[in-house]
Amino acid sequence: MESSKCRVILSTRLVYQFVLLIALVASASPVHSDSSAVAPKASITVMSRNLYVGASFNPLVGAETPNDILERVAMVYGKILSSQFPRRAEAIADEIVGKQPDLVGLQEAPLLVVHPLGEPSVANPPQPTAIVIDYVQILLDALERRGAHYTVAAIVNNTDVTAPSSTGDMIRLIERGVILVNTDLPPDELHVSNSQAKNFHARFTVQLGDTKVPLLRGWCSVDVTVRGRSVRIVSTHLEEELIASIQFAQAEELLAGPLLTNRPVISLGDFNASGDSTLYENFLEFGFQDAWSLVHPHDPGFSCCQAEDLLNPTSQLSARIDRILFRSSRIRVEDVQLVGNSPSDRIPSGQWPSDHAGIVGRLSIQ
């Protein structure tokens, strides 16, 4: 049975590599009759930023009695509020203004809707009495105050869960992945089309009292024409490395889905895969290159993770799981940097902007 499973995986990989070969040939630069002519290059700057919801949801797992659920939900919600995202968003907005990325991939960009018990939990728009905490809008507003104009180009709604709290409220959380695009650039410099978003079929399920809650993850993508050159940008957030079978299945969906294109492609996000992981090696095997490793081969570039309450005075970043990967012989890396990883980046309360550092890369497309 095990050897049969291996043959299926090997067959799938061979099919993918054959299709990939065709895509790479199709994306090769055309041959010009004038050998002295050199096609101009265009640069694009992209950022991947995990905003961090503000708390771990592990305390909710294993809750059995109704009262236990009420207390644990209130505790997690309290930690989310104490993470002070509106203030952290100011620091993240400063990062974006400082680096001026053309596109930003956001992970853990939730929408919270808190309303009294008895009101509809899925009302759209929410009831007037509801408290709405929209991380994306908070960040966009912070950017607007700095004269930087971004808009949502693609969004995927992932886990959507509603639970009662001992505070007397119903709390709904929709975890989202987002791609923001800089709208200050004219269309002839940056044009976005073909916005796509999808949840992975592979997902982990947890038990919350008597209810099974699927923990959805997904991806979103846009096709971009940047200064005359075409590229696809795919942002994602894969399952944790400890749940390897689901993480691998999600990666396969990416490779057989939005990443399978004859365009140059840049994939960014929280891959939850360290540099010595099999998953990371698989991306390299399928023709992807790691922007950070090319520019900083001797720097680990740690991007995860600070303490849950973000108050650790000394950085605890000890793994690199936030990445900018790309596939095309027409792409070159000009620069790549981390943001939000220095003690000076902390907000006045002493909290880090997120439990992750962000990664910013400038890439040229021939």
Side-chain angles (χ1 to χ4, degrees):
M1 184 66 171
E2 193 66 32
S3 63
S4 175
K5 180 180 179 181
C6 290
R7 286 196 298 271
V8 171
I9 294 174
L10 179 60
S11 175
T12 302
R13 180 166 294 180
L14 289 173
V15 170
Y16 177 83
Q17 289 175 333
F18 176 73
V19 176
L20 173 61
L21 178 61
I22 295 175
L24 289 175
V25 171
S27 66
S29 300
V31 177
H32 297 277
S33 57
D34 180 5
S35 59
S36 64
V38 177
K41 67 179 182 180
S43 292
I44 184 170
T45 301
V46 295
M47 171 187 279
S48 179
R49 199 65 175 99
N50 186 314
L51 299 182
Y52 181 47
V53 174
S56 167
F57 292 94
N58 289 337
L60 299 179
V61 179
E64 297 178 354
T65 68
N67 284 340
D68 197 15
I69 294 174
L70 291 172
E71 293 298 330
R72 295 192 191 198
V73 169
M75 179 183 68
V76 171
Y77 179 57
K79 288 183 176 181
I80 290 174
L81 294 182
S82 66
S83 79
Q84 302 189 84
F85 181 72
R87 294 186 180 181
R88 294 193 287 116
E90 298 292 330
I92 294 171
D94 285 339
E95 297 170 3
I96 294 174
V97 170
K99 300 302 180 183
Q100 298 184 334
D102 300 306
L103 296 105
V104 183
L106 302 177
Q107 305 87 45
E108 291 191 38
L111 172 69
L112 289 110
V113 181
V114 182
H115 57 85
L117 290 170
E119 288 187 354
S121 61
V122 293
N124 190 17
Q127 296 288 330
T129 54
I131 299 171
V132 178
I133 307 173
D134 185 339
Y135 280 38
V136 176
Q137 192 58 54
I138 290 170
L139 179 58
L140 291 175
D141 290 344
L143 289 167
E144 186 79 22
R145 287 192 292 273
R146 290 159 172 77
H149 307 100
Y150 285 78
T151 191
V152 173
I155 187 168
V156 59
N157 290 336
N158 296 315
T159 300
D160 185 343
V161 60
T162 302
S165 165
S166 60
T167 61
D169 297 313
M170 290 292 288
I171 299 173
R172 182 186 184 193
L173 183 143
I174 307 171
E175 197 281 309
R176 302 173 297 178
V178 178
I179 295 177
L180 302 180
V181 60
N182 186 341
T183 59
D184 288 327
L185 297 173
D188 60 338
E189 286 196 37
L190 185 71
H191 176 71
V192 172
S193 62
N194 192 28
S195 173
Q196 300 184 71
K198 192 173 183 180
N199 295 123
F200 294 118
H201 292 295
R203 72 275 309 261
F204 186 60
T205 301
V206 298
Q207 194 77 28
L208 180 60
D210 296 330
T211 305
K212 289 186 176 181
V213 179
L215 302 183
L216 302 182
R217 296 181 186 264
W219 56 266
C220 52
S221 72
V222 290
D223 291 341
V224 180
T225 302
V226 53
R227 302 167 184 94
R229 295 290 178 266
S230 177
V231 63
R232 174 168 293 175
I233 308 294
V234 181
S235 180
T236 192
H237 190 182
L238 298 181
E239 188 53 80
E240 294 183 13
E241 201 167 357
L242 291 174
I243 313 174
S245 60
I246 293 176
Q247 187 192 63
F248 270 79
Q250 292 174 349
E252 290 290 338
E253 290 182 46
L254 271 182
L255 290 167
L259 297 183
L260 187 59
T261 173
N262 60 3
R263 296 171 181 263
V265 61
I266 300 171
S267 183
L268 48 87
D270 179 354
F271 289 84
N272 269 319
S274 55
D276 58 356
S277 67
T278 303
L279 184 91
Y280 175 65
E281 293 297 330
N282 282 351
F283 274 94
L284 301 184
E285 181 180 334
F286 286 131
F288 282 87
Q289 297 183 72
D290 186 327
W292 180 269
S293 295
L294 291 174
V295 178
H296 307 284
H298 305 299
D299 185 337
F302 294 143
S303 65
C304 183
C305 287
Q306 308 294 4
E308 181 184 358
D309 63 6
L310 304 176
L311 286 169
N312 50 294
T314 303
S315 175
Q316 295 180 5
L317 301 179
S318 59
R320 184 162 69 89
I321 60 177
D322 301 87
R323 302 183 183 277
I324 297 174
L325 306 177
F326 66 93
R327 191 191 68 225
S328 176
S329 60
R330 293 160 50 192
I331 293 180
R332 295 289 182 271
V333 182
E334 296 182 359
D335 188 31
V336 60
Q337 301 175 16
L338 293 177
V339 293
N341 62 326
S342 172
S344 62
D345 296 321
R346 292 181 299 163
I347 65 177
S349 65
Q351 291 167 304
W352 295 86
S354 170
D355 64 337
H356 287 239
I359 182 169
V360 187
R362 187 174 72 250
L363 303 96
S364 63
I365 308 166
Q366 189 68 42

